[in-house]
Amino acid sequence: ETAAKGVSYGYGWWLPEFAGMSLIEAQGRGGQLIVIWPEKEMVVVLTAGGLNADELAAYLAQAVRSDGSIPENPQAVTRLKQIAAALKMPPPVRAVASPPAIATQISGRWYRLEPNKLGLEAMMFEVDDQKMQLGIMIGGRRYMMPVGLDEVYRLSNQTPSQLPAGVRGSWTEEDTFVLEYDEIGRVNHFTFSIKFTNESIVVNVDEPTGLYQLALTGHILD
C-alpha cells in the first residue's frame, strides 16, 4: 500500500526516505516511534509525545558514532532463534463447544446498529453447529468472514479495507458472544462483547488504545 503522503506503508510499517536515509518505522498513537536504520544497524525508540520526530532525525544522524564493534552475544542469538522458531509454530487449538440454544434463534438475522464512529451499520452471525460466519455492513455493503471458534483466528480479505483481518470468538454466556476482530493490515484490534435477545443486541466495543470504547444497541433489520 502507498500512503497519501507518498511514503510506502503496509502491515503497520512505514518506509520513509529522509535526508538520504532509508528507514523503517512503526508509528504509534500518541507520538510513540520505533525507527530502524538498516544502514547503521541501529534501532531508535521514542516514547515521548507532542514532538516533531522529523526535527530530531537530522540531529540523531549527525550524533551517531561507533567506538567499535559490539561484543558478540551467543546466548542472545540462541534465544532469538528460539523465539523466531516458536513464532512459526501454529497456535494451539481449543476444542469447540456446542453453541447455546439462542444461537439457532439469532443465526442469519441482521441487526441494525445505531450510528457510531466505527461506521458499523449492522451485524449478523450465521451459526452452523461448530462453525460461524460474521456478517458486517459498512457503507451499505455487506461483508462475510469466517470466525474461529477454537482460539485460532480465521483470516479473510473480504473486509471493508480489502486488507487481511483475523476473526475469532467464543460464547462466554448462554446469550453473550465475545468477538475479536484483528485488522492485521491496518493494526487495529477490536473486541466486541455482544449480548443477544430475539429482537435486539447490545454491543460493547473496546480496543487497546482506548480510542474506541462504545456501547451500541441494535435491532432486527427488516
Side-chain angles (χ1 to χ4, degrees), residues 39-215:
E39 181 185 352
K40 300 296 184 181
E41 297 184 345
M42 185 173 71
V43 177
V44 178
V45 178
L46 300 178
T47 58
L51 55 83
N52 185 346
D54 289 343
E55 294 178 356
L56 288 177
Y59 292 105
L60 288 172
Q62 295 172 9
V64 171
R65 297 290 185 273
S66 176
D67 296 327
S69 299
I70 297 175
E72 293 186 3
N73 188 337
Q75 293 83 6
V77 171
T78 299
R79 178 58 180 151
L80 179 61
K81 290 180 178 179
Q82 292 172 344
I83 294 172
L87 290 173
K88 293 180 181 179
M89 298 297 293
V93 176
R94 183 188 66 183
V96 180
S98 298
I102 198 170
T104 302
Q105 302 171 28
I106 60 96
S107 181
R109 308 182 79 177
W110 283 90
Y111 293 86
R112 170 76 72 179
L113 298 172
E114 60 187 327
N116 57 84
K117 62 181 181 179
L118 284 177
L120 184 58
E121 298 166 358
M123 299 183 75
M124 183 271 283
F125 291 90
E126 188 174 275
V127 186
D128 181 11
D129 191 18
Q130 296 186 338
K131 296 182 180 179
M132 180 181 287
Q133 293 272 332
L134 165 69
I136 61 173
M137 181 189 295
I138 292 180
R141 183 175 176 180
R142 296 181 177 183
Y143 303 86
M144 296 296 298
M145 290 161 276
V147 180
L149 301 176
D150 54 3
E151 289 288 346
V152 179
Y153 286 103
R154 298 299 187 270
L155 301 182
S156 174
N157 290 323
Q158 303 303 310
T159 63
S161 66
Q162 300 302 308
L163 295 172
V167 186
R168 68 180 181 182
S170 62
W171 294 95
T172 58
E173 303 286 347
E174 288 295 307
D175 60 355
T176 303
F177 190 82
V178 176
L179 175 83
E180 290 184 68
Y181 180 89
D182 190 347
E183 284 190 315
I184 301 164
R186 299 179 65 191
V187 201
N188 289 317
H189 186 174
F190 300 94
T191 300
F192 300 83
S193 179
I194 306 144
K195 187 177 181 66
F196 292 92
T197 68
N198 285 338
E199 302 298 328
S200 65
I201 57 174
V202 176
V203 183
N204 288 294
V205 186
D206 193 13
E207 60 92 46
T209 70
L211 185 62
Y212 294 97
Q213 291 183 322
L214 311 173

Side-chain angles (χ1 to χ4, degrees), residues 1 3 5-10 12-27 33-38 53-54 57:
E1 182 182 350
K5 63 180 181 179
V7 178
S8 295
Y9 170 82
W13 293 97
W14 299 84
L15 304 176
E17 298 282 340
F18 184 82
M21 301 178 291
S22 296
L23 306 176
I24 304 169
E25 294 184 353
Q27 301 178 4
L33 282 175
I34 300 173
V35 183
I36 302 171
W37 190 358
D54 289 343

